[in-house]
Amino acid sequence: MAGTEFGAGEIRALARELNLRPTKTLGQNFVIDPGTTAKIVRHAGVEPGDRVLEIGPGLGSLTLALLEAGAHVTALEIDPRLAARLPQTVAERGYKNLRVIEGDALQLTAEQLAEAPSKLVANLPYNVAVPAILRALEELDSLEVVDVMVQKEVADRLAADPGSRTYGVPSLKAAWYGKVSRGPLIPRSVFWPVPNVDSALVRIDRAPAPGTDREACFAIIDAAFSQRRKTLRQSLARWAGSPQRAEEILSAAGIDPKQRAERLSIGDVCAIASHA
């Protein structure tokens, strides 16, 4: 099995072969524990034949676990050395059904992919996690599940409920696409090098798109949270054209103009957009 063959020793040996020193710039913290990669695959519900997009496969530990589960994997890797080596790593262990694309997740387009993936499963670099998730959901209508490992604080923000301390722009934008849920914590010890932050899984199960335009909703979200300490009447004034117009729209949508952005649900945002 892939998991039992690709642990800390194999990963460090492969890094030496490539003369690779993990960089913070690319967010390179590689998972060296086969149990953790198996946990991610189970949490994502990967089944034989699933078409999976993996962003940032790195040295291949999660890639091998996905292939072991029977998935057809498209791996998007920004580091040319890692992108070039991954097919060999996979072939050496007898797996097939891998396609590697060298590229930037923040510039991902559906046209890059030969197959439309139904799931995104990844250990995402901390510094680009939220924009990478939102980019993938925007570009790939085929995605039904996004299940990724990110910094714990990012997972908390994405899955936060209205009114909570961590609720904000990522929470609302992710909720536009579907149901967001926080998964289990992942200990720092499973990474090499060991990061200075905790990690967690977060899952988004895609739902039918709201009837309101995404760009219109996202413009409201950005405006509302640009001045999150102020009332919606004030924070949406520039977006609406004036405080008075903002109050009219909010009242028509059934929302108290005196409340603040952190109380908005995605349903509220769509209601505002539909009355603008």
Side-chain angles (χ1 to χ4, degrees):
M1 293 177 63
T4 58
E5 297 175 4
F6 205 69
E10 290 81 6
I11 289 170
R12 288 192 173 97
L14 185 53
R16 287 194 298 271
E17 173 196 321
L18 296 173
N19 193 28
L20 173 69
R21 292 184 178 181
T23 69
K24 288 185 179 180
T25 304
L26 295 179
Q28 291 174 326
N29 296 92
F30 303 116
V31 180
I32 59 174
D33 173 52
T36 298
T37 55
K39 179 187 291 187
I40 297 170
V41 171
R42 287 195 303 270
H43 193 261
V46 175
E47 298 179 347
D50 278 350
R51 301 180 309 280
V52 176
L53 171 65
E54 183 186 6
I55 291 174
L59 293 168
S61 55
L62 179 56
T63 311
L64 291 169
L66 290 166
L67 293 169
E68 172 68 22
H72 294 242
V73 179
T74 298
L76 180 64
E77 174 58 58
I78 196 171
D79 188 321
R81 293 170 300 171
L82 299 179
R85 184 58 168 84
L86 186 58
Q88 181 182 339
T89 301
V90 166
E92 288 170 350
R93 286 158 179 79
Y95 292 112
K96 300 178 181 179
N97 299 324
L98 171 72
R99 181 171 184 254
V100 179
I101 299 172
E102 183 184 330
D104 186 346
L106 301 185
Q107 298 176 12
L108 172 69
T109 64
E111 290 72 28
Q112 287 178 280
L113 311 182
E115 292 185 323
S118 60
K119 293 178 178 175
L120 166 60
V121 185
N123 168 29
L124 287 178
Y126 295 147
N127 54 343
V128 297
V130 170
I133 291 168
L134 295 177
R135 175 78 181 193
L137 285 165
E138 177 185 347
E139 290 291 324
L140 305 174
D141 293 338
S142 61
L143 283 180
E144 299 170 3
V145 173
V146 171
D147 200 311
V148 293
M149 183 159 58
V150 296
Q151 184 176 340
K152 176 185 176 296
E153 288 74 14
V154 172
D156 289 340
R157 285 198 295 272
L158 285 166
D161 292 322
S164 66
R165 182 178 57 84
T166 54
Y167 191 70
V169 171
S171 321
L172 270 168
K173 289 185 176 180
W176 192 89
Y177 291 103
K179 177 178 173 53
V180 188
S181 54
R182 237 291 306 272
L185 289 171
I186 305 295
R188 302 180 187 193
S189 58
V190 307
F191 295 97
W192 173 73
V194 177
N196 294 322
V197 296
D198 295 316
S199 300
L201 296 180
V202 65
R203 175 169 170 147
I204 304 172
D205 288 274
R206 194 165 203 150
T212 314
D213 179 70
R214 179 187 59 81
E215 290 188 8
C217 288
F218 282 17
I220 293 167
I221 294 168
D222 289 336
F225 280 91
S226 66
Q227 302 179 79
R228 65 180 298 159
R229 299 293 181 188
K230 295 185 176 181
T231 66
L232 288 172
R233 182 183 188 275
Q234 295 170 303
S235 63
L236 292 179
R238 179 176 294 180
W239 164 81
S242 70
Q244 293 76 20
R245 179 57 182 154
E247 183 167 346
E248 291 173 4
I249 294 170
L250 289 162
S251 297
I255 297 166
D256 182 357
K258 295 180 181 179
Q259 79 175 32
R260 292 175 177 166
E262 61 263 24
R263 296 290 176 183
L264 289 174
S265 69
I266 193 61
D268 292 334
V269 172
C270 291
I272 295 169
S274 66
H275 286 86

